[in-house]
Amino acid sequence: FWLKGSLGSSHRTTVTQHCHSVTMAMKYLGAYLMAVLGGKESPSPSDIKAILEAGGISYEDDMLTTLCEKMEGKQAHELITSGFGKFAACGGGGGGGG
């Protein structure tokens, strides 16, 4: 891993923890969005839990509750639409050679 030699051990730990928390957050968000696609406008922790369990994925109940609390009163498609515009600021891909 290229960062290993250039970062102190405490910074490597921070980077590793951040990557782990992003991965964990994505599994909860992914399950939430699957529930939305399945017809649940506002999925409950038990809806998300059922999806994760069906995939054999471990979870933490407090994370499910936190996600649902943060999404309360919000529509997933509206959040996706508002965030999608931010990708335009990143520019497009480069042209292919050849």
Side-chain angles (χ1 to χ4, degrees), residues 6 29 40 43 61 63 66 82 89:
S6 62
L29 187 55
K40 300 279 186 178
D61 286 317
M63 293 291 285
T66 300
S82 68

Side-chain angles (χ1 to χ4, degrees), residues 29 32 70-71 74-85:
L29 187 55
Y32 183 93
K70 289 184 180 251
M71 290 298 294
K74 299 174 183 155
Q75 298 293 314
H77 70 277
E78 291 173 358
L79 293 174
I80 292 168
T81 300
S82 68
F84 187 74

Side-chain angles (χ1 to χ4, degrees), residues 26-72:
M26 291 303 292
K27 73 178 178 182
Y28 296 109
L29 187 55
Y32 183 93
L33 292 173
M34 288 177 72
V36 170
L37 289 172
K40 300 279 186 178
E41 188 172 312
S42 184
S44 68
S46 62
D47 295 326
I48 300 167
K49 188 184 301 188
I51 291 169
L52 293 171
E53 286 176 345
I57 301 170
S58 63
Y59 58 87
E60 297 175 28
D61 286 317
D62 61 327
M63 293 291 285
L64 298 174
T65 302
T66 300
L67 173 61
C68 291
E69 287 172 355
K70 289 184 180 251
M71 290 298 294
E72 192 170 323

